[in-house]
Amino acid sequence: MRGGRHVAAVTGADFDLAAGECLALVGESGCGKSVLASALLGLLPGNAETEGSALLDGTDLLAAGERALARTVRGRRVGLVPQSPAAHLTPVRTVRAHLEETVRALTGTPRRARRAAAEAAAARAAFPAGHLDRYPHELSGGLAQRAATALALIGDAPLLLADEPTTGLDRELVDRTADELRRHADEGKALLLITHDLAAARRVADRVAVMYAGRIVEIAPAARFFGTQGPRHPYARGLLDALPERAFTPIPGMPPELSKLPEGCAFAPRCARATAACAVRPEPLAGTACHHPWGAQDA
């Protein structure tokens, strides 16, 4: 950054994702979820630096060059539903043109069959056929979201990154979109679902990863996370307790600035369970990075 400053947008992210599995990545805005997805596809800004590895069938995505990512990874091996779909659509081309071009590039469908293939892709994402000949500026936010989802699903990529794919959709379309993404995983692909919508995550996820201030603080099976036992990290429990159908209790305080993270637990200033031990950053233990995780004794 300016003045030689560095911001650790994501730190120590360590997880796996199997074929046929959906991992939901949740957390407050600004915690680093979308940065993680962008890093996997080489879409970070020019001043970003990455370390470590991200292996996809033996290919290290973080080490791959732009040429390899553009020609063999994006769309083909890793699909993306972007967080801001309107910004990823070419403004002078219709939705139909976007879909037909993607069908041609990723599937090799003959010209005479592309129109039908594009319409089938639109239907898969619940994009109405009557809007296919519209331009991006003529679409509502929800329609742009469904167009982006249709584009991402065309290649049937082994890994799909869905970054807030239900933004701007009503509940019925949220459920339909979530179910279509789940089908993608059920067909033997992997799905990383980045979302604020915990109801959508509960509907389709096998596991849930919770990110706070750039770090993954808990990874848990979805059945436990949303079940009676609940998550173990206090922040994760706070996310659930803030839901209207639960306690509807907000998490106190504000997230820290990533440029001014404390030495210890970043959540400690907002946590009712914090003690002097939290001045030291907790390491993940049994899937939870917390000195005072919830357990059976708290039930």
Side-chain angles (χ1 to χ4, degrees):
M1 306 293 286
R2 291 180 180 177
R5 296 184 302 111
H6 286 77
V7 173
V10 176
T11 303
D14 185 6
F15 62 92
D16 56 18
L17 181 55
E21 182 184 27
C22 172
L23 175 66
L25 181 61
V26 303
E28 291 167 297
S29 296
C31 68
K33 304 186 301 296
S34 296
V35 171
L36 177 59
S38 296
L40 295 176
L41 283 172
L43 297 177
L44 293 173
N47 63 336
E49 300 175 359
T50 58
E51 294 180 346
S53 62
L55 300 178
L56 175 63
D57 291 334
T59 299
D60 187 348
L61 299 179
L62 297 187
E66 173 59 26
R67 184 183 181 89
L69 289 170
R71 293 195 173 191
T72 67
V73 175
R74 297 184 193 128
R76 291 170 173 82
R77 299 176 66 191
V78 183
L80 173 67
V81 181
Q83 184 177 25
S84 302
H88 288 73
L89 298 174
T90 304
V92 296
R93 306 196 69 190
T94 64
V95 175
R96 187 188 301 277
H98 279 88
L99 291 170
E100 290 188 3
E101 179 185 36
T102 305
V103 166
R104 176 192 61 78
L106 298 184
T107 69
T109 300
R111 181 188 296 272
R112 63 182 179 276
R114 288 176 196 160
R115 183 180 182 91
E119 291 174 355
R124 188 177 177 186
F127 187 91
H131 291 70
L132 282 170
D133 295 312
R134 294 192 173 188
Y135 292 89
H137 74 273
E138 298 178 297
L139 304 178
S140 66
L143 284 173
Q145 187 70 59
R146 281 180 272 171
T149 301
L151 289 166
L153 291 171
I154 286 173
D156 282 324
L159 171 61
L160 182 62
L161 306 179
D163 192 354
E164 300 291 354
T166 59
T167 299
L169 306 181
D170 60 35
R171 195 71 247 169
E172 181 180 353
L173 284 172
V174 166
D175 292 344
R176 180 167 175 175
T177 299
D179 290 346
E180 187 59 51
L181 295 174
R182 179 68 242 188
R183 269 192 289 275
H184 187 79
D186 289 341
E187 291 170 357
K189 285 89 171 181
L191 171 63
L192 179 60
L193 174 64
I194 298 171
T195 185
H196 289 102
D197 190 337
L198 293 178
R202 181 174 187 171
R203 188 177 182 92
V204 301
D206 298 296
R207 289 186 297 151
V208 178
V210 182
M211 181 171 276
Y212 184 79
R215 297 184 177 92
I216 293 177
V217 297
E218 181 169 4
I219 299 180
R224 192 197 82 198
F225 189 90
F226 293 109
T228 55
Q229 185 176 352
R232 303 187 67 215
H233 197 283
Y235 171 67
R237 297 187 78 91
L239 287 179
L240 290 180
D241 286 344
L243 294 175
E245 63 268 25
R246 300 213 178 192
F248 205 26
T249 303
I251 300 173
M254 296 291 292
E257 294 185 29
L258 295 180
S259 59
K260 299 178 181 179
L261 292 177
E263 291 294 325
C265 175
F267 186 62
R270 308 172 70 186
C271 181
R273 299 168 74 91
T275 67
C278 302
V280 177
R281 182 185 303 169
E283 296 298 326
L285 183 63
T288 307
C290 181
H291 291 297
H292 309 291
W294 284 70
Q297 70 276 10
D298 299 297

